[in-house]
Amino acid sequence: MGKSKKYLYDWDDCNDDGKCPDTMIGEILADSEFPDLEELIIGCWGYEGDDCQEIIDGIVENADKFSHITKLFVGDMTYEECEVSWIEQGNYSKLWAAMPQLTELTIKGSTNLILGDIQHENLRSLTIICGGLGKNVIEEIQKAKLPNLKKLLLYIGVENYGFDGDAKTIKNLLKKSDFPNLSYLGITDSEIQDELTQVVLDSKYMSQIKTLDLSNGTLSDKGGTLLLEKIPQFPNIKKLDLHFHYLSSKMMKKLKELPVVIDLSEQEVAEEWNGEIWMNAMLTE
């Protein structure tokens, strides 16, 4: 397993030493450990409101010096460091051609995120973690040419934090995208998780994936019933990740009888207020 290292700035770095996004690439390249890394993790890069565009551009401009990096994570910040909705992302359009060796890309935060025209022969894993994924980004993924993509994990999120689509948006994504080698599909962290469960279960990818991830959302017994009906039809599915859910204990017991490895941890309880039932996705702040 290759070496991994995380680079980040804390408050003192930014406030006292004047460090910011445009100084990080220089520091990374000057690090004696950098040439031996396989995975590059970018954490906090400046004050709240600073985007990471200069970091992305720095990688592109020094592509030859980053040619050994096969795994990239941009935005690895804890809640205490920066709330996910405050993470200012950037435009990745030029990254695809600059890093042909990249096999894994993880992005945290969706504010001002642009993926552009995605074409990449070697990318095997794409993960976007956010409180709300914009329809424009979903449509960019929908059009992506990623012939060797094996894992797609998307945090759909909620309207208040950037998700401006609906179930049809995800239906189009799964219908029109073309990922022939996909084996892990994650459509997660949604406030309409039951609706999206129906969409996913009706998608073409159900006949090829091995892992189905519907975690971190408002999955209830309605969605659980759909899973009970559909999963036995797809013996190719070996793992079902439903952690953080609103399933009843009775439904959980039934789901455990499915012929798959299943994660039913983090059972949540819906709240009632003014006669209404409230359920929240995990990453919504």
Side-chain angles (χ1 to χ4, degrees):
M1 185 174 180
K3 293 183 179 180
S4 173
K5 187 170 182 178
K6 181 175 179 177
Y7 297 85
L8 76 159
Y9 291 150
D10 60 22
W11 172 258
D12 290 336
D13 291 329
C14 301
N15 194 49
D16 298 335
D17 300 332
K19 295 182 178 181
C20 55
D22 65 357
T23 64
M24 184 170 282
I25 290 296
E27 292 193 10
I28 291 173
L29 293 176
D31 182 8
S32 61
E33 296 181 6
F34 177 67
D36 297 323
L37 300 183
E38 175 185 337
E39 181 177 28
L40 173 63
I41 302 172
I42 305 295
C44 290
W45 48 69
Y47 294 107
E48 291 171 0
D50 288 344
D51 63 42
C52 61
Q53 194 60 54
E54 290 169 322
I55 296 172
I56 298 170
D57 292 345
I59 294 173
V60 171
E61 292 166 6
N62 296 277
D64 57 327
K65 298 175 183 177
F66 285 85
S67 61
H68 57 291
I69 299 297
T70 60
K71 300 177 183 179
L72 178 63
F73 187 164
V74 181
D76 184 19
M77 307 179 199
T78 65
Y79 177 84
E80 290 77 14
E81 291 172 321
C82 184
E83 293 189 20
V84 68
S85 63
W86 296 353
I87 299 174
E88 295 281 344
Q89 271 294 335
N91 188 329
Y92 289 74
S93 298
K94 296 180 180 180
L95 187 76
W96 310 109
M99 300 190 78
Q101 78 285 356
L102 199 64
T103 61
E104 296 183 15
L105 175 62
T106 301
I107 297 170
K108 189 170 185 179
S110 60
T111 302
N112 296 322
L113 174 63
I114 298 173
L115 297 179
D117 181 14
I118 307 170
Q119 298 188 50
H120 203 285
E121 289 291 325
N122 294 313
L123 197 72
R124 296 198 297 263
S125 175
L126 176 61
T127 297
I128 301 180
I129 304 166
C130 63
L133 192 59
K135 187 176 180 180
N136 62 312
V137 178
I138 295 171
E139 290 176 346
E140 288 173 330
I141 297 170
Q142 176 181 305
K143 298 173 184 176
K145 293 179 175 60
L146 299 171
N148 289 299
L149 189 70
K150 294 184 177 181
K151 178 178 180 178
L152 178 64
L153 173 56
L154 303 178
Y155 282 54
I156 303 304
V158 304
E159 182 178 358
N160 287 345
Y161 289 96
F163 177 58
D164 54 358
D166 53 24
K168 185 177 180 181
T169 305
I170 305 305
K171 182 177 181 179
N172 286 336
L173 165 68
L174 299 179
K175 180 180 180 180
K176 297 180 181 181
S177 60
D178 182 19
F179 305 131
N181 286 299
L182 197 70
S183 60
Y184 183 119
L185 176 60
I187 301 295
T188 73
D189 193 56
S190 175
E191 61 184 346
I192 54 169
Q193 197 72 53
D194 286 337
E195 289 184 63
L196 298 190
T197 295
Q198 178 72 73
V199 168
V200 171
L201 290 173
D202 289 339
S203 75
K204 62 185 178 184
Y205 292 114
M206 285 298 294
S207 61
Q208 72 181 65
I209 60 174
K210 295 180 179 180
T211 299
L212 175 58
D213 186 348
L214 299 169
S215 64
N216 292 325
T218 59
L219 186 71
S220 71
D221 283 7
K222 181 179 180 181
T225 299
L226 295 172
L227 291 166
L228 284 175
E229 294 172 353
K230 289 281 191 174
I231 292 299
Q233 300 175 26
F234 301 101
N236 50 291
I237 294 180
K238 306 301 181 184
K239 183 176 181 180
L240 188 57
D241 188 347
L242 305 178
H243 81 271
F244 192 101
H245 58 84
Y246 290 84
L247 298 164
S248 67
S249 296
K250 183 178 180 180
M251 177 57 70
M252 290 171 64
K253 184 177 180 180
K254 291 180 180 179
L255 287 168
K256 287 178 181 177
E257 296 176 359
L258 289 171
V260 296
V261 175
I262 188 167
D263 185 348
L264 287 166
S265 60
E266 298 182 64
Q267 180 187 27
E268 303 294 313
V269 178
E271 298 180 359
E272 184 175 351
W273 189 71
N274 282 350
E276 293 187 49
I277 301 298
W278 293 84
M279 297 183 290
N280 297 304
M282 186 275 294
L283 191 58
T284 59
E285 300 172 17

